[in-house]
């Protein structure tokens, strides 16, 4: 579908990072390595250094930690080191681009071990509070600002978008962009129809960087129609 970001939910079970959205879906054969890391490595090798054939654009791998953040991240970091050639890397104050950029979301406790590292192969998914902080973290640590749409906006795509909320949305995105950070809202309407299209249209007009959806074909068609 030509998108530049995918999301994987992970649980730490023993020493394994299992991929599932809910605990009842856990399967020891469905690991982060087997479903994402190894296939991405093979793809990048086949495409001579890129996830996308003939294109150098990076893929964002958004990893949503569902178990305790610090311990899960430490195991994740160990696994990412095995695929160090794949990933954008922060090292001693500098960022070295790679074919895949890992961004860590989910349990907030992952932030502590991440901030302590002088070398890491992942970045942190911030929240609006991080954008508004008196001394905000740089884009070299927080390249992405994400938050829950329903906690910040009352409008769900029905009727007119209140102008005060439109200006709030555009202000958030402009502030993030001024710091070289990108913006994502989750919990936007995701049922096909006019309400979803209305919200997507406002996000597009405001220059939002990522749209959250489970309907990949629907978003692809929408974006193609709004080039």
């Amino acid at each position: 579908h030509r998108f530049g970001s995918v999301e994987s939910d992970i649980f730490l079970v023993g020493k394994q990072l299992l991929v599932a959205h809910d605990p009842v879906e856990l399967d020891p054969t469905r690991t982060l390595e087997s479903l994402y890391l190894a296939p991405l490595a093979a793809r990048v090798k086949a495409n001579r250094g890129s996830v996308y054939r003939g294109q150098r654009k990076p893929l964002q791998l958004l990893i949503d930690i569902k178990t305790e953040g610090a311990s899960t991240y430490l195991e994740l970091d160990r696994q990412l080191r095995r695929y160090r050639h794949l990933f954008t890397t922060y090292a001693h104050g500098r960022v070295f681009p790679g074919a895949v950029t890992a961004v860590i979301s989910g349990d907030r406790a992952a932030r502590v071990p991440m901030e302590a590292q002088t070398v890491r192969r992942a970045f942190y998914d911030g929240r609006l509070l991080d954008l508004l902080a008196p001394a905000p973290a740089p884009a070299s640590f927080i390249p992405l600002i994400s938050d829950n749409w329903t906690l910040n906006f009352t409008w769900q795509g029905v009727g007119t978008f209140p102008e005060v909320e439109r200006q709030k949305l555009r202000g958030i995105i402009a502030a993030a962009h001024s710091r070289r950070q990108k913006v994502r809202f989750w919990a936007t309407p995701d049922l096909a129809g006019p309400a979803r299209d209305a919200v997507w249209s406002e996000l597009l007009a405001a220059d939002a960087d990522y749209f959250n959806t489970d309907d990949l074909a629907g978003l692809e068609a929408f974006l193609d129609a709004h080039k």
Side-chain angles (χ1 to χ4, degrees):
H1 296 286
R2 297 151 36 222
F3 291 122
S5 179
V6 297
E7 181 175 353
S8 175
D9 297 346
I10 63 169
F11 291 76
L12 178 63
V13 180
K15 289 291 184 180
Q16 292 291 319
L17 295 176
L18 303 185
V19 174
H21 186 65
D22 295 300
V24 295
E25 300 169 348
L26 290 170
D27 178 339
T29 68
R30 295 177 58 82
T31 67
L32 181 70
E33 184 168 32
S34 67
L35 294 178
Y36 289 86
L37 303 185
L40 282 170
R43 190 179 180 97
V44 168
K45 182 178 181 181
N47 292 335
R48 299 183 178 182
S50 177
V51 172
Y52 302 94
R53 185 178 296 113
Q55 296 185 52
R56 281 292 176 185
K57 73 174 185 177
L59 170 72
Q60 175 177 273
L61 178 58
L62 190 64
I63 301 175
D64 191 340
I65 292 177
K66 296 294 189 180
T67 40
E68 194 279 325
S71 56
T72 306
Y73 174 73
L74 291 175
E75 176 56 31
L76 174 62
D77 180 58
R78 189 181 69 80
Q79 295 196 21
L80 295 182
R81 286 200 301 272
R82 295 208 298 266
Y83 293 87
R84 56 174 59 87
H85 62 288
L86 276 185
F87 289 98
T88 299
T89 299
Y90 170 88
H92 307 290
R94 295 182 61 192
V95 175
F96 299 88
V100 181
T101 299
V103 179
I104 309 307
S105 193
D107 191 90
R108 302 284 86 191
R111 180 167 186 159
V112 174
M114 291 183 72
E115 283 190 306
Q117 292 177 301
T118 55
V119 177
R120 53 181 157 75
R121 289 158 191 88
F123 300 82
Y124 189 71
D125 181 24
R127 298 289 177 263
L128 284 181
L129 286 175
D130 294 300
L131 184 64
L132 303 173
S140 59
F141 182 66
I142 298 181
L144 179 65
I145 297 292
S146 302
D147 223 302
N148 187 324
W149 176 268
T150 62
L151 296 182
N152 292 280
F153 302 95
T154 62
W155 186 65
Q156 297 296 311
V158 178
T160 302
F161 194 17
E163 187 59 29
V164 65
E165 293 197 355
R166 178 181 285 119
Q167 293 308 315
K168 177 182 178 180
L169 172 64
R170 296 187 176 192
I172 289 167
I173 293 171
H177 286 179
S178 72
R179 295 175 181 165
R180 297 182 294 112
Q181 295 167 312
K182 296 183 177 181
V183 176
R184 170 182 77 104
F185 285 99
W186 75 85
T188 54
D190 206 26
L191 186 65
R196 185 178 73 175
D197 284 356
V199 173
W200 283 356
S201 294
E202 289 290 347
L203 288 169
L204 197 62
D207 201 21
D209 302 281
Y210 294 103
F211 291 37
N212 251 48
T213 187
D214 290 325
D215 182 6
L216 303 184
L219 180 56
E220 181 182 34
F222 173 87
L223 293 174
D224 281 343
H226 291 78
K227 282 183 176 176

